Amino acid sequence: ISDKMDDAEDIVTYEEAVKADERRIVFTGPRRAGKSSIERVIFHKMSPHETLFLESTHNVDIHLIANNAFVKFQTWDFGGDMNLEHGVRYQNKVISPETILKGCSTLVYVIDAQEDDYEDSLPKLVETIVTAHKINPLIHFEVFLHKIDGDSMAEELRAERQQGIQNYVSAELSEINGDVLVSYYLTSIYDHSALEAFSKVVQKLVVQLPILNSLLDKLIESCVVEKTYLLDVFTKLYIATDSNPVDGHTYELCSDLVDVVIDVSCIYGLSPQDGAAIPYDQESSSAIHLNSGMVLYLREVSRYLALVCVIKEEYFLKRSLLDYNINCLRASLDQVLSESSDF
């Protein structure tokens, strides 16, 4: 799997970096806020503890993420705040701020929640949003209040700091441009909060999201399924889900199920001819029965995409009906992808 990941996350050349019509997610924010850690843990399968030894990013690191039709974009990881005046050097050439922002799909601004002087970064955050919005009004703005690890920050303090940031940014933007929408998330790489937050970030880039959500709604209605997630196998980001509320604990179990399937398949599912290919294909499936009386059921539905259903045991007994409807969903998903590629 590591070789496949390396292929999918190649470093981007300068020509590819400035190429038009590429989706780009830009990470920026104060130094040591955790931008590289988030990017490496989610997209490069790095252990959270290994990020402690990461060196500070100089200028910018650009990678291509190409896992499947939905998770396909460049990540731009800036060392500190983006220089809005002089641009950035990449492979001995300068990329101007205008070029960066015109091609930017999403701007993720990361703030270290544990720093006492975190408020010092807020004027720069507002400046970045205002400048970026003027150049490209279509950018999605996402603010990660990061490093809310375990018991290191009380729940009240997390909520207080998030509310304080929202109030400050909203007040500043209302005086300049009230049309800018900014989303806020509390994140940590030591639990699934960063994955859940980034799932919502990536979903905004999925043009077919309403169709995917509708297909999943039809599935839970037909088979009395409690919850469904369409997961990217590499990152475990959920690309789509049904209209039922998302439960963080349930999503954590579903993403862990993907790990179990891949780990077991690496042991028993690879033949010598497979080489380093990820052991995941159209035959991949798994069912885990929980003590709560629920069943987690995973099926492959497209290239490196997994559908995970949360269903009661009594309804899972009608597995043939569930499998039939999942096959129908898979056919519909293939049609959506085919029409998208034609377009």
Side-chain angles (χ1 to χ4, degrees), residues 39-306:
E39 202 264 350
R40 296 296 175 84
V41 168
I42 294 179
F43 296 111
H44 300 257
K45 310 299 285 184
M46 179 177 283
S47 164
H49 298 287
E50 290 181 279
T51 62
L52 297 173
F53 307 103
L54 280 176
E55 296 181 0
S56 296
T57 303
H58 300 287
N59 292 324
V60 63
D61 289 338
I62 306 176
H63 292 90
L64 173 64
I65 311 300
N67 298 344
N68 51 59
F70 302 120
V71 182
K72 188 174 183 181
F73 42 75
Q74 295 175 1
T75 60
W76 291 47
D77 176 20
F78 280 84
D81 279 298
M82 187 193 312
N83 191 323
L84 298 173
E85 296 179 1
H86 305 295
V88 64
R89 291 193 66 83
Y90 184 69
Q91 297 183 354
N92 297 321
K93 297 180 181 178
V94 176
I95 305 178
S96 68
E98 290 76 15
T99 300
I100 297 169
L101 295 173
K102 282 181 180 177
C104 176
S105 306
T106 301
L107 192 148
V108 179
Y109 197 96
V110 183
I111 299 174
D112 186 344
Q114 295 186 10
E115 291 290 340
D116 294 330
D117 60 351
Y118 74 96
E119 292 178 323
D120 294 346
S121 64
L122 300 187
K124 185 64 176 180
L125 165 60
V126 173
E127 179 191 358
T128 302
I129 292 174
V130 171
T131 303
H133 187 264
K134 285 181 180 177
I135 295 175
N136 182 358
L138 300 178
I139 293 179
H140 301 285
F141 296 101
E142 320 286 348
V143 177
F144 282 17
L145 191 58
H146 193 49
K147 300 184 182 179
I148 54 156
D149 308 332
D151 300 326
S152 62
M153 287 187 68
E155 194 72 35
E156 297 78 10
L157 182 58
R158 300 177 191 175
E160 178 184 331
R161 293 197 170 182
Q162 182 180 12
Q163 191 62 49
I165 293 173
Q166 287 185 232
N167 291 341
Y168 178 88
V169 173
S170 298
E172 293 294 317
L173 291 179
S174 64
E175 298 178 3
I176 304 169
N177 189 334
D179 296 333
V180 184
L181 296 178
V182 184
S183 300
Y184 302 85
Y185 308 91
L186 296 170
T187 60
S188 170
I189 57 174
Y190 291 97
D191 57 28
H192 283 68
S193 59
L195 267 179
E196 189 170 349
F198 225 94
S199 294
K200 297 173 183 176
V201 170
V202 171
Q203 285 172 26
K204 295 178 182 179
L205 303 182
V206 178
V207 179
Q208 307 92 338
L209 183 63
I211 300 174
L212 300 179
N213 290 343
S214 177
L215 289 174
L216 295 177
D217 281 337
K218 292 288 186 182
L219 178 65
I220 65 171
E221 181 183 347
S222 302
C223 301
V224 199
V225 177
E226 298 293 314
K227 188 65 184 170
T228 56
Y229 294 96
L230 186 63
L231 294 168
D232 170 46
V233 172
F234 286 120
T235 61
K236 296 176 293 181
L237 298 171
Y238 68 91
I239 309 305
T241 186
D242 55 75
S243 55
N244 287 341
V246 173
D247 174 65
H249 178 63
T250 302
Y251 168 59
E252 184 176 343
L253 289 174
C254 292
S255 62
D256 288 345
L257 174 57
V258 175
D259 280 336
V260 171
V261 170
I262 298 301
D263 290 345
V264 173
S265 298
C266 280
I267 299 172
Y268 299 105
L270 280 176
S271 66
Q273 292 79 20
D274 290 329
I278 181 173
Y280 183 82
D281 56 28
Q282 61 183 7
E283 301 300 324
S284 294
S285 66
S286 176
I288 293 183
H289 295 254
L290 306 178
N291 292 333
S292 61
M294 306 297 288
V295 177
L296 302 180
Y297 185 46
L298 179 148
R299 281 279 306 274
E300 186 269 2
V301 289
S302 185
R303 179 177 173 81
Y304 303 129
L305 285 174

Side-chain angles (χ1 to χ4, degrees), residues 219 222-225 257 261 282-289 295-300 307 309 311-328 330:
L219 178 65
S222 302
C223 301
V224 199
V225 177
L257 174 57
V261 170
Q282 61 183 7
E283 301 300 324
S284 294
S285 66
S286 176
I288 293 183
H289 295 254
V295 177
L296 302 180
Y297 185 46
L298 179 148
R299 281 279 306 274
E300 186 269 2
L307 174 70
C309 302
I311 185 171
K312 292 181 179 178
E313 284 188 343
E314 57 191 276
Y315 296 116
F316 187 67
L317 295 176
K318 303 176 182 178
R319 179 171 167 176
S320 57
L321 174 63
L322 180 58
D323 281 335
Y324 173 80
N325 281 290
I326 290 177
N327 289 336
C328 292
R330 176 192 280 168

